[in-house]
Amino acid sequence: FQAEDGIRDSVASRGLGDVYKRQPMLRHIAGFYEIPYNRIKKNDLIYSIIEFESNLDNKETVENRKRLWYYMEEIKSNKYLSKYILSI
């Protein structure tokens, strides 16, 4: 990476794997919907998720995911219960 001042970033690229690892929420959503996500570009994964969620046949699954995600956020924000949540 070269900044505007011409100084190169001293941190070398760690490869494409890091790009995918920085997208945990997309991967979790795809996993919930059983959409394969290994070696898929971010934009393609987003498109697959949107396509899945737009399909009326998947309405119940989508609503279930959103409800469960909401509950997880509520538990994570609870001072007492948050200590029982394991992060991946």
Side-chain angles (χ1 to χ4, degrees):
F1 170 76
Q2 185 135 3
E4 291 179 21
D5 60 5
I7 299 171
R8 288 189 56 82
D9 190 345
S10 63
V11 178
S13 171
R14 293 173 281 174
L16 288 176
D18 286 349
V19 174
Y20 298 107
K21 290 175 188 170
R22 286 182 252 158
Q23 303 168 24
M25 186 57 73
L26 290 175
R27 293 183 324 169
H28 290 311
I29 293 171
F32 188 88
Y33 294 152
E34 299 180 356
I35 297 171
Y37 55 84
N38 288 332
R39 299 191 181 271
I40 295 179
K41 294 180 184 177
K42 180 180 178 179
N43 289 340
D44 294 338
L45 184 55
I46 291 170
Y47 178 79
S48 294
I49 291 170
I50 291 171
E51 187 175 53
F52 183 93
E53 290 187 342
S54 299
N55 185 334
L56 292 177
D57 292 336
N58 301 324
K59 183 178 180 181
E60 187 176 327
T61 303
V62 172
E63 288 176 359
N64 189 34
R65 190 225 14 116
K66 289 180 180 181
R67 181 176 47 82
L68 292 172
W69 253 247
Y70 172 78
Y71 292 152
M72 288 295 294
E73 291 303 316
E74 289 291 306
I75 292 170
K76 284 194 245 178
S77 68
N78 180 281
K79 188 176 181 179
Y80 177 76
L81 293 176
S82 63
K83 60 187 168 192
Y84 297 104
I85 299 294
L86 300 176
S87 295
I88 296 175

